[in-house]
């Protein structure tokens, strides 16, 4: 067997790659064109292996030819039974692996079935061949045939839990729930707490109206596999039947199409059998789906070793590095991709996002601008470059890109709001206010528009109008917690400017309760509390801001000053020392830090 080794970490309790029937991570390109008459394994004296095989990927074609030669060599040597069966079965597994990487390769699946059938005939004692044949039949939707094959498997290997599980599912598909229930109970005897069996029995109980039993079984299933969204959906339906809408809502929020994983080594290895750059890309994507990003990057790198011109492998390599937190490697991978294919607008967009997140706004703008030149209708590229230009203090240029976004998508509300604020920053506040007032009137629940209207009015020193806009919005609309928190933070800031400090503190505390993860809210609250001469409360607010944003230098300096003023100089100095990594080149931090150290030394 020529299985492709993939260095993957194994999460506790199960293998990370549950490859199920019909798996198609991404179309296997180039596609293998397998003729339907590849194998007609039967009663011929010599196995009728294909005389030719047209494969666009030479690596896979070479693999198949090698396995065919092995079969012929064994035949010529007079081999029979298990040895010859194993060789034919390996050829079937390779075909099956091709189909798992490309769900449209139906003829490859047919070839795999023919090989499994012949291998089973040659060696009836080997449970692998009827089992994999049943898996292929299940994939095609022929559940009658799959049931027969799985039962043949269990006659030889009665304790094979994956076969029991697949047989139970096939029995359900052919309308035999009692047989399925017996099989699931058998698997629980062999493997107590087996989540797929608990889920299957729970679903059956739900269908039969035994809701309390269903809840018990499904709760146990999702406790063992919290990521199985199908289990959460079934459990939500069960709790709803029992009238507990709160619990139903909790599980609906976690519902998805994700099934319970099945640790199935025989099936798992199939997708790793095909060789070549194209196959390795698909194998890397399996690792991506499992969240094994560093391992995926390793596989994509191997795909590039096999074919340095594989642009798809280069793109996925860069993305895997990003997901693995290997940002320097990701940047290098994108640069190498663009050196080979400079007209790849999506790659420039992805590289720009990476650069922007790493604080390299100028380079990000350059790549995004080029992406919009290459693809003038690339809406997200226009939008992202507009945001970066806006933040860089170039609102006039940003407006051009916002205009293009709105040409492409007139209903893009966020772009409308952002464009209005850019208009205000470019010296056109009247136009901005007109747009924002119209937006708030038409969509009062648009918290971003309400906040932007207030900000523009505040910048024009029209504080009463700014405050009124916020207060009216908060009275008339029930916003989500994070959006309400942003509005109340803005309102608190306006009240502070108006010197209504107690009212400002009240609004900011409310915002902090609604969203404790907003560092800006805690920082502004700390400043207001300082003005109210409540340093201990201010210190807690600044500490809360730093807990979320340790790089928030102003909060660190304010907290250190409070500590120093209350005779806690050791804590103040430690706090400043910890902040050096975030403000190594900040002259303001350096100066304030030195002043605090001097003050502490004088105490």
């Amino acid at each position: 067997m020529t299985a492709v080794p993939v260095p993957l970490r194994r999460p506790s309790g199960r293998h990370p790659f549950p490859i199920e029937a019909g798996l198609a991570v991404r179309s296997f390109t180039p596609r293998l064109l397998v003729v339907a008459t590849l194998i007609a394994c039967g009663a011929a004296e010599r196995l009728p292996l294909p005389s030719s095989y047209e494969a666009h990927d030479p690596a896979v074609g070479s693999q198949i030819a090698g396995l065919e030669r092995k079969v012929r060599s064994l035949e010529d040597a007079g081999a029979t039974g298990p040895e010859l069966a194993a060789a034919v079965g390996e050829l079937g597994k390779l075909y099956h692996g091709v189909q798992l990487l490309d769900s449209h390769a139906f003829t490859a699946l047919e070839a795999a079935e023919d090989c499994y059938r012949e291998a089973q005939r040659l060696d009836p004692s080997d449970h692998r061949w009827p089992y994999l044949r049943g898996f292929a039949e299940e994939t095609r939707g022929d559940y009658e045939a799959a049931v027969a094959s799985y039962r043949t498997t269990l006659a030889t290997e009665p304790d094979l839990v994956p076969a029991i599980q697949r047989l139970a599912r096939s029995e359900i598909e052919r309308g035999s729930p009692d047989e399925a229930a017996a099989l699931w109970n058998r698997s629980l005897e062999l493997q107590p707490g087996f989540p797929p069996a608990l889920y299957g029995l729970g679903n059956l109980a739900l269908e039969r109206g035994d809701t309390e039993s269903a809840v018990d079984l499904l709760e146990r299933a999702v406790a063992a596999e919290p990521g199985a969204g199908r289990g959460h959906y079934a459990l939500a339906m069960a709790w709803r039947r029992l009238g507990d809408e709160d619990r139903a809502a909790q599980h609906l929020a976690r519902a998805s199409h994700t099934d319970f994983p099945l640790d199935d080594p025989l099936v798992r290895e199939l997708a790793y059998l095909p060789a070549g750059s194209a196959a390795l890309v698909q194998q890397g994507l399996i690792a991506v789906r499992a969240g094994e990003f560093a391992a995926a990057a390793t596989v994509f790198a191997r795909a590039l070793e096999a074919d340095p011109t594989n642009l798809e492998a280069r793109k996925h390599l860069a993305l895997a590095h990003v997901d693995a937190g290997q940002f320097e490697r990701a940047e290098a991978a994108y640069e190498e991709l663009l050196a080979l294919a400079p007209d790849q607008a999506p790659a420039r967009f992805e590289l720009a996002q990476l650069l922007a997140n790493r604080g390299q706004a100028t380079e990000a703008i350059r790549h995004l601008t080029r992406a919009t030149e290459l693809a003038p209708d690339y809406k997200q590229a226009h939008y992202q470059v507009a945001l970066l230009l806006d933040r860089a203090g170039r609102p006039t240029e940003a407006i051009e890109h916002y205009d293009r976004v709105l040409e492409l998508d007139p209903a893009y509300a966020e772009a409308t709001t952002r464009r209005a604020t850019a208009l205000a920053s470019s010296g056109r506040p009247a136009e901005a206010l007109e747009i924002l007032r119209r937006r708030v009137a038409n969509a009062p629940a648009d918290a971003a528009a309400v906040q932007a209207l207030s900000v523009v009015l505040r910048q024009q020193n029209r504080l009463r109008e700014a405050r009124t806009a916020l207060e009216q919005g908060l009275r008339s609309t029930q916003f989500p917690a994070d959006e309400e928190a942003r509005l109340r933070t803005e309102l608190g800031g306006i009240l502070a400017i108006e010197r209504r400090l107690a009212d400002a503190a009240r609004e900011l505390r409310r915002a902090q309760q609604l969203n404790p993860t907003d560092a800006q809210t805690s920082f502004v609250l700390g400043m207001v509390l300082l003005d109210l001469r409540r340093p201990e409360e201010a210190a807690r607010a600044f500490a809360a801001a730093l807990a979320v944003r340790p790089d928030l230098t102003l909060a660190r300096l304010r907290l250190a000053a409070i500590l120093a003023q209350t005779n806690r100089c050791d804590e103040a100095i430690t706090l400043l020392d910890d902040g050096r990594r975030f403000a190594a080149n900040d002259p303001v931090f350096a100066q304030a830090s030195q002043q605090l150290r001097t003050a502490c030394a004088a105490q």
Side-chain angles (χ1 to χ4, degrees):
M1 181 173 67
T2 57
V4 179
V6 182
L8 300 170
R9 299 189 300 275
R10 182 185 178 96
S12 60
R14 62 179 175 86
H15 192 279
F17 305 148
I19 303 173
E20 292 297 329
L23 168 66
V25 179
R26 187 76 59 91
S27 178
F28 183 25
T29 305
R31 182 163 299 163
L32 303 177
L33 304 177
V34 188
V35 295
T37 58
L38 278 179
I39 299 180
C41 298
E45 292 182 4
R46 190 170 174 83
L47 296 177
L49 300 180
S51 58
S52 65
Y53 176 77
E54 184 180 358
H56 290 292
D57 191 327
V60 176
S62 176
Q63 278 186 289
I64 291 174
L67 288 175
E68 290 174 350
R69 287 194 299 271
K70 180 178 181 180
V71 171
R72 293 302 184 210
S73 176
L74 287 170
E75 283 186 304
D76 292 342
T80 58
E83 189 177 10
L84 188 56
V88 177
E90 289 301 318
L91 180 58
K93 288 164 65 177
L94 178 57
Y95 285 129
H96 207 157
V98 168
Q99 188 274 329
L100 285 178
L101 295 179
D102 177 10
S103 63
H104 299 289
F106 300 114
T107 49
L109 187 62
E110 292 170 2
E113 286 187 64
D114 288 336
C115 285
Y116 294 148
R117 188 178 298 109
E118 183 64 18
Q120 183 181 347
R121 183 186 69 79
L122 290 166
D123 184 7
S125 66
D126 193 327
H127 71 278
R128 292 179 296 169
W129 313 130
Y131 178 69
L132 292 173
R133 176 181 169 186
F135 177 57
E137 292 161 341
E138 183 186 348
T139 300
R140 287 193 295 102
D142 188 350
Y143 298 108
E144 293 289 340
V147 164
S149 293
Y150 289 139
R151 290 200 178 278
T152 299
T153 303
L154 292 170
T156 305
E157 194 76 18
D159 295 343
L160 189 62
V161 172
I164 295 172
Q165 170 65 15
R166 293 191 187 280
L167 175 56
R169 293 199 315 200
S170 295
E171 292 286 14
I172 288 291
E173 293 293 341
R174 68 194 286 258
S176 303
D178 291 339
E179 288 83 348
L183 289 160
W184 278 319
N185 281 313
R186 170 63 178 153
S187 66
L188 288 172
E189 293 174 3
L190 295 168
Q191 191 172 321
F194 184 50
L198 293 170
Y199 170 67
L201 291 170
N203 260 339
L204 283 181
L206 193 59
E207 291 173 6
R208 291 168 173 171
D210 187 358
T211 310
E212 291 184 357
S213 295
V215 164
D216 175 63
L217 290 161
L218 293 168
E219 286 282 10
R220 290 161 58 196
V222 300
E225 285 291 346
R230 289 189 178 182
H232 286 287
Y233 179 80
L235 191 50
M237 296 302 100
W239 280 118
R240 180 168 288 175
R241 285 190 190 178
L242 292 177
D244 193 331
E245 287 295 335
D246 288 341
R247 288 186 178 179
Q250 290 172 10
H251 288 287
L252 274 178
R254 303 178 69 182
S256 70
H257 291 294
T258 304
D259 205 348
F260 286 85
L262 178 63
D263 188 6
D264 190 344
L266 286 175
V267 168
R268 187 172 62 240
E269 72 169 335
L270 298 176
Y272 296 100
L273 295 177
S277 185
L280 283 165
V281 169
Q282 304 308 312
Q283 293 159 8
L285 289 172
I286 295 171
V288 169
R289 280 172 50 125
E292 295 286 340
F293 303 118
T298 299
V299 179
F300 293 134
R302 290 174 52 212
L304 286 173
E305 291 173 5
D307 180 7
T309 67
N310 189 331
L311 297 181
E312 187 178 10
R314 290 193 179 278
K315 177 185 71 175
H316 289 302
L317 174 62
L319 290 171
H321 281 316
V322 171
D323 290 332
Q326 301 166 340
F327 301 123
E328 291 184 4
R329 293 183 182 181
E331 186 175 340
Y334 277 122
E335 294 289 359
E336 290 173 3
L337 170 59
L338 290 171
L340 287 173
D343 294 344
Q344 287 262 331
R348 289 191 180 275
F349 177 83
E350 292 156 6
L351 174 57
Q353 287 186 306
L354 173 63
L355 292 169
N357 290 334
R358 300 183 71 200
Q360 301 178 50
T362 301
E363 278 297 293
I365 289 171
R366 182 175 69 83
H367 282 290
L368 285 169
T369 302
R370 182 57 182 150
T372 62
E373 293 168 352
L374 292 167
D377 293 345
Y378 198 162
K379 181 179 72 175
Q380 283 306 116
H382 282 287
Y383 185 66
Q384 292 299 324
V385 75
L387 290 177
L388 289 176
L389 289 166
D390 215 345
R391 292 169 189 163
R394 297 158 64 180
T396 302
E397 296 171 74
I399 290 168
E400 295 178 11
H401 289 280
Y402 285 132
D403 286 342
R404 182 59 180 149
V405 171
L406 291 169
E407 287 176 16
L408 295 167
D409 184 359
Y412 201 150
E414 189 175 349
T416 299
T417 299
R418 297 276 188 180
R419 178 179 179 274
T421 59
L423 284 169
S425 299
S426 64
R428 298 158 65 182
E431 294 176 62
L433 290 172
E434 181 181 353
I435 291 168
L436 291 170
R437 284 195 171 106
R438 185 165 59 246
R439 176 62 188 166
V440 171
N442 293 333
D446 186 342
V450 174
Q451 183 178 5
L453 175 59
S454 172
V455 169
V456 174
L457 288 166
R458 171 168 56 79
Q459 290 170 344
Q460 298 300 306
N461 205 30
R462 296 159 67 172
L463 298 180
R464 179 181 294 180
E465 293 176 70
R467 174 166 46 79
T468 299
L470 291 166
E471 291 171 341
Q472 287 179 346
L474 289 166
R475 279 197 304 269
S476 63
T477 306
Q478 183 69 41
F479 294 101
D482 60 333
E483 294 181 359
E484 182 181 344
R486 287 198 298 270
L487 295 179
R488 291 193 182 277
T489 297
E490 172 67 17
L491 178 56
I494 292 171
L495 290 166
I497 296 171
E498 294 180 326
R499 304 307 295 170
R500 295 171 54 181
L501 298 179
D503 292 337
R506 183 191 67 245
E507 292 296 337
L508 291 164
R509 287 193 188 282
R510 176 62 179 147
Q512 192 181 49
Q513 291 170 355
L514 289 165
N515 185 10
T517 64
D518 191 327
Q520 186 66 22
T521 299
S522 296
F523 176 73
V524 176
L525 175 60
M527 296 298 291
V528 169
L529 291 168
L530 276 181
D531 285 345
L532 286 169
R533 302 183 186 281
R534 289 147 67 175
E536 292 185 3
E537 295 177 57
R540 287 195 291 271
F542 291 133
L546 287 173
V548 179
R549 284 272 312 278
D551 62 333
L552 198 55
T553 301
L554 287 176
R556 187 176 296 274
L557 289 173
R558 294 290 183 178
L559 178 55
I562 294 172
L563 292 172
Q565 291 164 7
T566 55
N567 298 317
R568 296 159 67 184
C569 278
D570 289 345
E571 294 178 57
I573 297 300
T574 299
L575 187 68
L576 292 173
D577 288 341
D578 288 344
R580 285 180 181 175
R581 57 196 172 109
F582 301 110
N585 300 314
D586 186 343
V588 174
F589 179 84
Q591 182 180 2
S593 177
Q594 184 58 46
Q595 289 173 349
L596 279 172
R597 291 174 190 276
T598 302
C600 282
Q603 287 185 8

